[in-house]
Amino acid sequence: MPMAADDIAAMIRAGIPDAEVEITDLAGDGDHYAARVVAPGFAGMSRVKQHQQVYAALGGRMGGVLHALQLTTASS
């Protein structure tokens, strides 16, 4: 059963408390999501570590949940 966008965002926020999360339904079918995660805590962290944080926040299910992921330290 696919996860809802709100559930995905809540899981990321729970795992990365300083994160601002924006979820977009890519295909309009509730099954293909993209996430934009803005977290000041990502500063100085490698891209791999940033992805690992999001992966851990989603309980290791990122591949089946997100089809695109943008990570940044500041909103702009």
Side-chain angles (χ1 to χ4, degrees):
M1 179 164 169
M3 293 179 66
D6 290 342
D7 295 333
I8 296 167
M11 289 176 76
I12 294 171
R13 285 187 199 104
I16 308 171
D18 67 344
E20 295 175 31
V21 182
E22 179 184 326
I23 304 292
T24 304
D25 187 341
L26 295 174
D29 62 2
D31 200 24
H32 296 87
Y33 295 107
R36 181 172 188 266
V37 180
V38 179
F42 285 161
M45 192 181 291
S46 73
R47 216 31 112 184
V48 169
K49 292 283 187 195
Q50 293 172 6
H51 277 84
Q52 287 173 337
Q53 274 201 323
V54 174
Y55 183 78
L58 291 172
R61 295 179 286 176
M62 191 162 64
V65 174
L66 295 176
H67 298 274
L69 181 60
Q70 177 188 9
L71 305 172
T72 186
T73 59
S75 55
S76 53

Short mmCIF file of all heavy atoms in Angstrom, two decimals:
data_model
loop_
_atom_site.label_atom_id
_atom_site.label_comp_id
_atom_site.label_asym_id
_atom_site.label_seq_id
_atom_site.Cartn_x
_atom_site.Cartn_y
_atom_site.Cartn_z
N MET A 1 0.84 -1.18 0.00
CA MET A 1 0.00 0.00 0.00
C MET A 1 0.89 1.25 0.00
O MET A 1 1.77 1.37 0.84
CB MET A 1 -0.88 -0.02 1.23
CG MET A 1 -1.77 1.16 1.36
SD MET A 1 -2.97 0.65 2.56
CE MET A 1 -3.84 1.97 3.00
N PRO A 2 0.66 2.16 -0.92
CA PRO A 2 1.49 3.37 -1.01
C PRO A 2 1.31 4.26 0.22
O PRO A 2 0.25 4.27 0.84
CB PRO A 2 0.98 4.08 -2.25
CG PRO A 2 0.09 3.15 -2.95
CD PRO A 2 -0.32 2.10 -1.99
N MET A 3 2.36 4.99 0.54
CA MET A 3 2.29 5.94 1.64
C MET A 3 1.74 7.27 1.13
O MET A 3 1.98 7.64 -0.02
CB MET A 3 3.69 6.18 2.21
CG MET A 3 4.28 4.97 2.88
SD MET A 3 5.95 5.29 3.49
CE MET A 3 5.62 6.50 4.75
N ALA A 4 1.04 7.98 1.99
CA ALA A 4 0.53 9.31 1.64
C ALA A 4 1.65 10.34 1.78
O ALA A 4 2.58 10.16 2.59
CB ALA A 4 -0.63 9.67 2.56
N ALA A 5 1.55 11.41 1.03
CA ALA A 5 2.55 12.47 1.07
C ALA A 5 2.73 13.02 2.48
O ALA A 5 3.85 13.27 2.93
CB ALA A 5 2.16 13.59 0.10
N ASP A 6 1.63 13.21 3.19
CA ASP A 6 1.72 13.73 4.56
C ASP A 6 2.48 12.78 5.48
O ASP A 6 3.21 13.22 6.36
CB ASP A 6 0.32 13.99 5.13
CG ASP A 6 -0.37 15.17 4.47
OD1 ASP A 6 0.31 16.00 3.83
OD2 ASP A 6 -1.61 15.26 4.60
N ASP A 7 2.30 11.47 5.28
CA ASP A 7 3.01 10.48 6.09
C ASP A 7 4.52 10.52 5.81
O ASP A 7 5.33 10.43 6.73
CB ASP A 7 2.49 9.07 5.82
CG ASP A 7 1.04 8.90 6.26
OD1 ASP A 7 0.60 9.62 7.18
OD2 ASP A 7 0.36 8.03 5.68
N ILE A 8 4.87 10.66 4.55
CA ILE A 8 6.28 10.73 4.17
C ILE A 8 6.92 11.96 4.81
O ILE A 8 7.98 11.89 5.42
CB ILE A 8 6.44 10.78 2.63
CG1 ILE A 8 5.93 9.48 2.00
CG2 ILE A 8 7.90 11.04 2.24
CD1 ILE A 8 5.75 9.56 0.50
N ALA A 9 6.25 13.10 4.68
CA ALA A 9 6.78 14.35 5.25
C ALA A 9 6.91 14.23 6.77
O ALA A 9 7.93 14.66 7.34
CB ALA A 9 5.87 15.52 4.87
N ALA A 10 5.93 13.65 7.42
CA ALA A 10 5.97 13.51 8.88
C ALA A 10 7.12 12.61 9.32
O ALA A 10 7.79 12.90 10.32
CB ALA A 10 4.65 12.96 9.39
N MET A 11 7.38 11.54 8.59
CA MET A 11 8.48 10.64 8.92
C MET A 11 9.83 11.35 8.78
O MET A 11 10.71 11.20 9.63
CB MET A 11 8.44 9.39 8.04
CG MET A 11 7.31 8.45 8.37
SD MET A 11 7.23 7.04 7.25
CE MET A 11 8.59 6.06 7.89
N ILE A 12 9.97 12.13 7.71
CA ILE A 12 11.23 12.85 7.51
C ILE A 12 11.42 13.88 8.61
O ILE A 12 12.49 13.99 9.19
CB ILE A 12 11.29 13.50 6.11
CG1 ILE A 12 11.33 12.41 5.02
CG2 ILE A 12 12.51 14.42 5.99
CD1 ILE A 12 11.18 12.94 3.60
N ARG A 13 10.36 14.63 8.93
CA ARG A 13 10.45 15.63 10.00
C ARG A 13 10.76 15.00 11.35
O ARG A 13 11.48 15.57 12.16
CB ARG A 13 9.15 16.43 10.09
CG ARG A 13 8.99 17.44 8.99
CD ARG A 13 7.77 18.34 9.22
NE ARG A 13 7.41 18.95 7.97
CZ ARG A 13 6.39 18.59 7.20
NH1 ARG A 13 5.60 17.61 7.56
NH2 ARG A 13 6.16 19.22 6.08
N ALA A 14 10.21 13.82 11.61
CA ALA A 14 10.47 13.13 12.88
C ALA A 14 11.94 12.70 12.97
O ALA A 14 12.55 12.76 14.03
CB ALA A 14 9.56 11.92 13.02
N GLY A 15 12.51 12.29 11.84
CA GLY A 15 13.90 11.84 11.82
C GLY A 15 14.91 12.96 11.69
O GLY A 15 16.07 12.82 12.09
N ILE A 16 14.48 14.08 11.12
CA ILE A 16 15.35 15.24 10.93
C ILE A 16 14.57 16.45 11.43
O ILE A 16 13.90 17.15 10.66
CB ILE A 16 15.74 15.41 9.44
CG1 ILE A 16 16.32 14.11 8.88
CG2 ILE A 16 16.74 16.56 9.26
CD1 ILE A 16 16.52 14.11 7.37
N PRO A 17 14.59 16.69 12.74
CA PRO A 17 13.72 17.69 13.36
C PRO A 17 13.82 19.11 12.81
O PRO A 17 12.85 19.84 12.83
CB PRO A 17 14.12 17.65 14.84
CG PRO A 17 14.70 16.30 15.04
CD PRO A 17 15.38 15.97 13.73
N ASP A 18 14.99 19.51 12.29
CA ASP A 18 15.11 20.88 11.78
C ASP A 18 14.73 21.00 10.30
O ASP A 18 14.90 22.04 9.69
CB ASP A 18 16.52 21.44 12.02
CG ASP A 18 17.61 20.73 11.21
OD1 ASP A 18 17.36 19.62 10.68
OD2 ASP A 18 18.72 21.28 11.11
N ALA A 19 14.18 19.93 9.74
CA ALA A 19 13.89 19.90 8.30
C ALA A 19 12.56 20.56 7.94
O ALA A 19 11.57 20.42 8.65
CB ALA A 19 13.88 18.47 7.79
N GLU A 20 12.60 21.26 6.83
CA GLU A 20 11.39 21.71 6.14
C GLU A 20 11.22 20.73 4.98
O GLU A 20 12.18 20.49 4.24
CB GLU A 20 11.55 23.12 5.60
CG GLU A 20 11.73 24.18 6.66
CD GLU A 20 12.00 25.54 6.02
OE1 GLU A 20 11.50 25.81 4.91
OE2 GLU A 20 12.74 26.31 6.65
N VAL A 21 10.04 20.17 4.83
CA VAL A 21 9.84 19.13 3.82
C VAL A 21 8.69 19.51 2.90
O VAL A 21 7.61 19.89 3.36
CB VAL A 21 9.52 17.77 4.50
CG1 VAL A 21 9.36 16.67 3.45
CG2 VAL A 21 10.59 17.40 5.51
N GLU A 22 8.95 19.41 1.61
CA GLU A 22 7.91 19.64 0.61
C GLU A 22 7.81 18.37 -0.24
O GLU A 22 8.80 17.92 -0.83
CB GLU A 22 8.30 20.83 -0.27
CG GLU A 22 7.32 21.15 -1.36
CD GLU A 22 7.81 22.28 -2.25
OE1 GLU A 22 8.48 23.19 -1.74
OE2 GLU A 22 7.53 22.23 -3.45
N ILE A 23 6.63 17.80 -0.30
CA ILE A 23 6.41 16.57 -1.07
C ILE A 23 5.56 16.91 -2.29
O ILE A 23 4.55 17.61 -2.17
CB ILE A 23 5.69 15.50 -0.23
CG1 ILE A 23 6.46 15.20 1.06
CG2 ILE A 23 5.47 14.23 -1.05
CD1 ILE A 23 7.80 14.52 0.88
N THR A 24 5.95 16.41 -3.44
CA THR A 24 5.21 16.61 -4.68
C THR A 24 4.83 15.24 -5.24
O THR A 24 5.66 14.34 -5.31
CB THR A 24 6.08 17.35 -5.72
OG1 THR A 24 6.52 18.58 -5.15
CG2 THR A 24 5.31 17.62 -6.99
N ASP A 25 3.57 15.11 -5.63
CA ASP A 25 3.10 13.89 -6.29
C ASP A 25 3.42 14.03 -7.78
O ASP A 25 2.81 14.82 -8.49
CB ASP A 25 1.60 13.73 -6.07
CG ASP A 25 1.06 12.42 -6.57
OD1 ASP A 25 1.71 11.76 -7.41
OD2 ASP A 25 -0.04 12.04 -6.14
N LEU A 26 4.42 13.28 -8.24
CA LEU A 26 4.92 13.46 -9.60
C LEU A 26 3.94 13.07 -10.70
O LEU A 26 3.89 13.70 -11.74
CB LEU A 26 6.20 12.64 -9.78
CG LEU A 26 7.39 13.08 -8.93
CD1 LEU A 26 8.54 12.10 -9.09
CD2 LEU A 26 7.83 14.48 -9.31
N ALA A 27 3.17 12.03 -10.47
CA ALA A 27 2.29 11.53 -11.53
C ALA A 27 0.81 11.73 -11.22
O ALA A 27 -0.04 11.34 -12.01
CB ALA A 27 2.58 10.05 -11.78
N GLY A 28 0.51 12.29 -10.05
CA GLY A 28 -0.88 12.49 -9.68
C GLY A 28 -1.59 11.21 -9.28
O GLY A 28 -2.81 11.17 -9.22
N ASP A 29 -0.81 10.17 -9.01
CA ASP A 29 -1.43 8.89 -8.68
C ASP A 29 -1.20 8.44 -7.24
O ASP A 29 -1.59 7.36 -6.85
CB ASP A 29 -0.91 7.80 -9.63
CG ASP A 29 0.59 7.57 -9.52
OD1 ASP A 29 1.24 8.22 -8.67
OD2 ASP A 29 1.12 6.75 -10.28
N GLY A 30 -0.55 9.29 -6.43
CA GLY A 30 -0.30 8.95 -5.05
C GLY A 30 0.71 7.84 -4.86
O GLY A 30 0.76 7.21 -3.81
N ASP A 31 1.54 7.61 -5.87
CA ASP A 31 2.50 6.51 -5.80
C ASP A 31 3.91 6.92 -6.24
O ASP A 31 4.83 6.13 -6.11
CB ASP A 31 2.00 5.36 -6.67
CG ASP A 31 2.63 4.03 -6.30
OD1 ASP A 31 3.07 3.87 -5.15
OD2 ASP A 31 2.69 3.15 -7.18
N HIS A 32 4.06 8.11 -6.78
CA HIS A 32 5.35 8.57 -7.28
C HIS A 32 5.63 9.97 -6.73
O HIS A 32 5.09 10.95 -7.24
CB HIS A 32 5.36 8.62 -8.82
CG HIS A 32 5.19 7.29 -9.44
ND1 HIS A 32 3.95 6.74 -9.69
CD2 HIS A 32 6.10 6.38 -9.85
CE1 HIS A 32 4.11 5.55 -10.24
NE2 HIS A 32 5.39 5.30 -10.34
N TYR A 33 6.43 10.02 -5.68
CA TYR A 33 6.68 11.28 -4.99
C TYR A 33 8.10 11.79 -5.18
O TYR A 33 9.03 11.02 -5.34
CB TYR A 33 6.45 11.13 -3.48
CG TYR A 33 5.03 10.82 -3.11
CD1 TYR A 33 4.66 9.56 -2.68
CD2 TYR A 33 4.04 11.80 -3.18
CE1 TYR A 33 3.35 9.27 -2.33
CE2 TYR A 33 2.74 11.52 -2.84
CZ TYR A 33 2.40 10.26 -2.41
OH TYR A 33 1.10 9.98 -2.07
N ALA A 34 8.20 13.12 -5.10
CA ALA A 34 9.50 13.79 -5.03
C ALA A 34 9.50 14.56 -3.71
O ALA A 34 8.45 15.02 -3.26
CB ALA A 34 9.68 14.76 -6.19
N ALA A 35 10.65 14.68 -3.10
CA ALA A 35 10.76 15.43 -1.86
C ALA A 35 11.86 16.46 -1.97
O ALA A 35 12.92 16.20 -2.53
CB ALA A 35 11.05 14.50 -0.69
N ARG A 36 11.58 17.62 -1.42
CA ARG A 36 12.60 18.67 -1.25
C ARG A 36 12.76 18.81 0.26
O ARG A 36 11.79 19.11 0.96
CB ARG A 36 12.15 19.97 -1.87
CG ARG A 36 13.19 21.07 -1.72
CD ARG A 36 12.78 22.31 -2.54
NE ARG A 36 13.86 23.26 -2.55
CZ ARG A 36 13.95 24.27 -1.68
NH1 ARG A 36 13.03 24.45 -0.77
NH2 ARG A 36 14.98 25.10 -1.75
N VAL A 37 13.95 18.56 0.74
CA VAL A 37 14.23 18.61 2.18
C VAL A 37 15.26 19.70 2.43
O VAL A 37 16.37 19.64 1.92
CB VAL A 37 14.75 17.24 2.69
CG1 VAL A 37 15.02 17.31 4.18
CG2 VAL A 37 13.76 16.12 2.37
N VAL A 38 14.87 20.70 3.21
CA VAL A 38 15.75 21.80 3.59
C VAL A 38 16.07 21.61 5.06
O VAL A 38 15.17 21.62 5.91
CB VAL A 38 15.06 23.16 3.37
CG1 VAL A 38 15.99 24.29 3.80
CG2 VAL A 38 14.64 23.33 1.93
N ALA A 39 17.34 21.40 5.38
CA ALA A 39 17.74 21.18 6.76
C ALA A 39 19.06 21.88 7.05
O ALA A 39 20.09 21.52 6.47
CB ALA A 39 17.86 19.69 7.05
N PRO A 40 19.07 22.88 7.91
CA PRO A 40 20.32 23.53 8.27
C PRO A 40 21.36 22.54 8.79
O PRO A 40 22.56 22.75 8.59
CB PRO A 40 19.90 24.52 9.37
CG PRO A 40 18.47 24.81 9.09
CD PRO A 40 17.92 23.51 8.57
N GLY A 41 20.92 21.46 9.39
CA GLY A 41 21.83 20.44 9.90
C GLY A 41 22.62 19.72 8.82
O GLY A 41 23.60 19.03 9.11
N PHE A 42 22.21 19.86 7.57
CA PHE A 42 22.94 19.24 6.46
C PHE A 42 24.26 19.97 6.17
O PHE A 42 25.10 19.45 5.46
CB PHE A 42 22.11 19.24 5.18
CG PHE A 42 21.00 18.21 5.15
CD1 PHE A 42 19.95 18.36 4.24
CD2 PHE A 42 20.98 17.11 5.97
CE1 PHE A 42 18.93 17.43 4.16
CE2 PHE A 42 19.97 16.18 5.92
CZ PHE A 42 18.94 16.34 5.01
N ALA A 43 24.41 21.20 6.68
CA ALA A 43 25.61 22.00 6.41
C ALA A 43 26.86 21.23 6.83
O ALA A 43 26.94 20.68 7.92
CB ALA A 43 25.55 23.32 7.13
N GLY A 44 27.82 21.17 5.94
CA GLY A 44 29.08 20.49 6.22
C GLY A 44 29.01 18.97 6.13
O GLY A 44 30.00 18.28 6.33
N MET A 45 27.85 18.44 5.82
CA MET A 45 27.64 17.00 5.73
C MET A 45 27.74 16.58 4.26
O MET A 45 27.26 17.28 3.37
CB MET A 45 26.23 16.69 6.26
CG MET A 45 25.92 15.25 6.51
SD MET A 45 24.20 15.04 7.11
CE MET A 45 24.30 15.78 8.73
N SER A 46 28.36 15.46 4.00
CA SER A 46 28.46 14.97 2.61
C SER A 46 27.07 14.64 2.08
O SER A 46 26.14 14.36 2.84
CB SER A 46 29.35 13.74 2.54
OG SER A 46 28.68 12.61 3.09
N ARG A 47 26.93 14.65 0.77
CA ARG A 47 25.66 14.30 0.12
C ARG A 47 25.23 12.89 0.52
O ARG A 47 24.06 12.63 0.75
CB ARG A 47 25.87 14.39 -1.39
CG ARG A 47 24.79 14.87 -2.27
CD ARG A 47 23.85 15.87 -1.76
NE ARG A 47 23.99 17.15 -2.41
CZ ARG A 47 23.30 18.20 -2.06
NH1 ARG A 47 22.42 18.16 -1.11
NH2 ARG A 47 23.47 19.34 -2.66
N VAL A 48 26.19 12.01 0.62
CA VAL A 48 25.89 10.62 1.01
C VAL A 48 25.27 10.60 2.41
O VAL A 48 24.26 9.93 2.65
CB VAL A 48 27.15 9.73 0.94
CG1 VAL A 48 26.91 8.38 1.58
CG2 VAL A 48 27.60 9.57 -0.50
N LYS A 49 25.86 11.33 3.35
CA LYS A 49 25.35 11.38 4.73
C LYS A 49 23.95 12.00 4.77
O LYS A 49 23.08 11.56 5.52
CB LYS A 49 26.29 12.17 5.64
CG LYS A 49 27.61 11.49 5.87
CD LYS A 49 27.45 10.37 6.87
CE LYS A 49 28.82 9.81 7.21
NZ LYS A 49 28.73 8.54 7.87
N GLN A 50 23.73 13.03 3.95
CA GLN A 50 22.40 13.64 3.88
C GLN A 50 21.36 12.62 3.42
O GLN A 50 20.29 12.49 4.02
CB GLN A 50 22.42 14.84 2.94
CG GLN A 50 23.25 16.00 3.42
CD GLN A 50 23.40 17.09 2.39
OE1 GLN A 50 22.79 17.06 1.31
NE2 GLN A 50 24.22 18.09 2.69
N HIS A 51 21.68 11.90 2.36
CA HIS A 51 20.77 10.87 1.87
C HIS A 51 20.55 9.78 2.91
O HIS A 51 19.44 9.28 3.07
CB HIS A 51 21.30 10.26 0.56
CG HIS A 51 20.96 11.07 -0.65
ND1 HIS A 51 21.73 12.13 -1.05
CD2 HIS A 51 19.94 10.98 -1.52
CE1 HIS A 51 21.19 12.66 -2.14
NE2 HIS A 51 20.10 11.98 -2.45
N GLN A 52 21.61 9.41 3.61
CA GLN A 52 21.48 8.38 4.65
C GLN A 52 20.54 8.83 5.76
O GLN A 52 19.78 8.01 6.28
CB GLN A 52 22.85 8.03 5.23
CG GLN A 52 23.70 7.21 4.28
CD GLN A 52 25.12 7.00 4.77
OE1 GLN A 52 25.64 7.77 5.60
NE2 GLN A 52 25.78 5.98 4.25
N GLN A 53 20.56 10.11 6.09
CA GLN A 53 19.65 10.61 7.12
C GLN A 53 18.19 10.49 6.67
O GLN A 53 17.34 10.09 7.44
CB GLN A 53 19.96 12.07 7.47
CG GLN A 53 21.00 12.22 8.52
CD GLN A 53 20.91 13.59 9.20
OE1 GLN A 53 20.60 14.60 8.56
NE2 GLN A 53 21.18 13.60 10.48
N VAL A 54 17.92 10.85 5.43
CA VAL A 54 16.56 10.75 4.92
C VAL A 54 16.14 9.28 4.84
O VAL A 54 15.04 8.91 5.24
CB VAL A 54 16.42 11.44 3.54
CG1 VAL A 54 15.04 11.20 2.94
CG2 VAL A 54 16.70 12.93 3.66
N TYR A 55 17.03 8.43 4.36
CA TYR A 55 16.77 6.99 4.27
C TYR A 55 16.43 6.43 5.65
O TYR A 55 15.46 5.70 5.81
CB TYR A 55 18.01 6.31 3.69
CG TYR A 55 17.88 4.83 3.45
CD1 TYR A 55 17.18 4.34 2.36
CD2 TYR A 55 18.49 3.92 4.30
CE1 TYR A 55 17.07 2.98 2.14
CE2 TYR A 55 18.39 2.56 4.09
CZ TYR A 55 17.68 2.09 3.00
OH TYR A 55 17.57 0.75 2.79
N ALA A 56 17.21 6.81 6.67
CA ALA A 56 16.96 6.33 8.02
C ALA A 56 15.63 6.85 8.55
O ALA A 56 14.88 6.11 9.21
CB ALA A 56 18.11 6.74 8.95
N ALA A 57 15.31 8.11 8.25
CA ALA A 57 14.05 8.69 8.71
C ALA A 57 12.86 7.94 8.12
O ALA A 57 11.81 7.83 8.75
CB ALA A 57 13.99 10.17 8.33
N LEU A 58 13.02 7.43 6.91
CA LEU A 58 11.94 6.68 6.25
C LEU A 58 12.00 5.19 6.58
O LEU A 58 11.33 4.39 5.93
CB LEU A 58 12.00 6.89 4.73
CG LEU A 58 11.65 8.30 4.28
CD1 LEU A 58 11.93 8.46 2.79
CD2 LEU A 58 10.20 8.62 4.59
N GLY A 59 12.78 4.83 7.54
CA GLY A 59 12.85 3.42 7.96
C GLY A 59 13.42 2.51 6.89
O GLY A 59 13.06 1.35 6.81
N GLY A 60 14.32 3.05 6.06
CA GLY A 60 14.97 2.25 5.03
C GLY A 60 14.10 1.99 3.81
O GLY A 60 14.41 1.14 2.99
N ARG A 61 13.01 2.75 3.64
CA ARG A 61 12.09 2.50 2.52
C ARG A 61 12.13 3.57 1.44
O ARG A 61 11.20 3.71 0.68
CB ARG A 61 10.66 2.40 3.06
CG ARG A 61 10.45 1.22 3.95
CD ARG A 61 9.06 1.19 4.45
NE ARG A 61 8.94 2.23 5.46
CZ ARG A 61 7.82 2.54 6.07
NH1 ARG A 61 6.71 1.92 5.76
NH2 ARG A 61 7.78 3.48 6.99
N MET A 62 13.20 4.33 1.36
CA MET A 62 13.23 5.45 0.42
C MET A 62 13.01 5.01 -1.02
O MET A 62 12.29 5.66 -1.76
CB MET A 62 14.55 6.22 0.53
CG MET A 62 14.53 7.52 -0.23
SD MET A 62 15.82 8.68 0.27
CE MET A 62 17.30 7.82 -0.19
N GLY A 63 13.61 3.93 -1.44
CA GLY A 63 13.49 3.49 -2.83
C GLY A 63 12.07 3.21 -3.26
O GLY A 63 11.69 3.46 -4.39
N GLY A 64 11.25 2.71 -2.36
CA GLY A 64 9.86 2.42 -2.70
C GLY A 64 8.93 3.59 -2.45
O GLY A 64 7.73 3.50 -2.72
N VAL A 65 9.46 4.69 -1.95
CA VAL A 65 8.62 5.81 -1.56
C VAL A 65 8.91 7.05 -2.41
O VAL A 65 8.02 7.67 -2.94
CB VAL A 65 8.83 6.15 -0.06
CG1 VAL A 65 8.08 7.40 0.32
CG2 VAL A 65 8.41 4.98 0.81
N LEU A 66 10.19 7.41 -2.52
CA LEU A 66 10.57 8.61 -3.23
C LEU A 66 11.25 8.28 -4.55
O LEU A 66 12.09 7.40 -4.62
CB LEU A 66 11.54 9.45 -2.38
CG LEU A 66 10.97 10.02 -1.09
CD1 LEU A 66 12.05 10.75 -0.32
CD2 LEU A 66 9.81 10.95 -1.38
N HIS A 67 10.87 9.01 -5.57
CA HIS A 67 11.46 8.80 -6.89
C HIS A 67 12.37 9.95 -7.29
O HIS A 67 13.05 9.87 -8.31
CB HIS A 67 10.34 8.59 -7.92
CG HIS A 67 9.54 7.37 -7.61
ND1 HIS A 67 9.90 6.12 -8.03
CD2 HIS A 67 8.44 7.19 -6.85
CE1 HIS A 67 9.04 5.23 -7.57
NE2 HIS A 67 8.15 5.86 -6.85
N ALA A 68 12.37 11.01 -6.48
CA ALA A 68 13.28 12.13 -6.68
C ALA A 68 13.49 12.79 -5.33
O ALA A 68 12.59 12.86 -4.52
CB ALA A 68 12.70 13.14 -7.67
N LEU A 69 14.70 13.25 -5.09
CA LEU A 69 15.04 13.83 -3.79
C LEU A 69 16.00 14.99 -3.99
O LEU A 69 17.04 14.85 -4.62
CB LEU A 69 15.67 12.77 -2.90
CG LEU A 69 16.07 13.15 -1.48
CD1 LEU A 69 14.87 13.62 -0.69
CD2 LEU A 69 16.73 11.96 -0.80
N GLN A 70 15.62 16.16 -3.47
CA GLN A 70 16.49 17.34 -3.50
C GLN A 70 16.80 17.71 -2.06
O GLN A 70 15.88 17.87 -1.24
CB GLN A 70 15.80 18.51 -4.19
CG GLN A 70 16.63 19.78 -4.17
CD GLN A 70 15.87 20.99 -4.68
OE1 GLN A 70 14.66 20.95 -4.89
NE2 GLN A 70 16.57 22.08 -4.87
N LEU A 71 18.07 17.82 -1.73
CA LEU A 71 18.51 18.15 -0.38
C LEU A 71 19.28 19.45 -0.40
O LEU A 71 20.12 19.67 -1.28
CB LEU A 71 19.42 17.02 0.17
CG LEU A 71 18.80 15.63 0.14
CD1 LEU A 71 19.86 14.60 0.51
CD2 LEU A 71 17.62 15.54 1.08
N THR A 72 19.02 20.30 0.57
CA THR A 72 19.73 21.57 0.65
C THR A 72 19.78 22.04 2.10
O THR A 72 19.05 21.53 2.95
CB THR A 72 19.06 22.64 -0.26
OG1 THR A 72 19.86 23.82 -0.26
CG2 THR A 72 17.65 22.95 0.19
N THR A 73 20.66 23.01 2.37
CA THR A 73 20.80 23.53 3.73
C THR A 73 20.01 24.80 3.96
O THR A 73 19.82 25.20 5.09
CB THR A 73 22.29 23.81 4.05
OG1 THR A 73 22.78 24.76 3.11
CG2 THR A 73 23.10 22.55 4.01
N ALA A 74 19.55 25.44 2.90
CA ALA A 74 18.82 26.69 3.06
C ALA A 74 17.73 26.82 2.01
O ALA A 74 17.90 26.40 0.87
CB ALA A 74 19.78 27.87 2.94
N SER A 75 16.60 27.39 2.41
CA SER A 75 15.53 27.60 1.44
C SER A 75 15.87 28.82 0.60
O SER A 75 16.45 29.79 1.08
CB SER A 75 14.21 27.80 2.17
OG SER A 75 14.30 28.83 3.11
N SER A 76 15.54 28.73 -0.66
CA SER A 76 15.78 29.87 -1.56
C SER A 76 14.86 29.80 -2.75
O SER A 76 14.28 28.83 -3.06
CB SER A 76 17.23 29.88 -2.04
OG SER A 76 17.61 28.65 -2.60
#
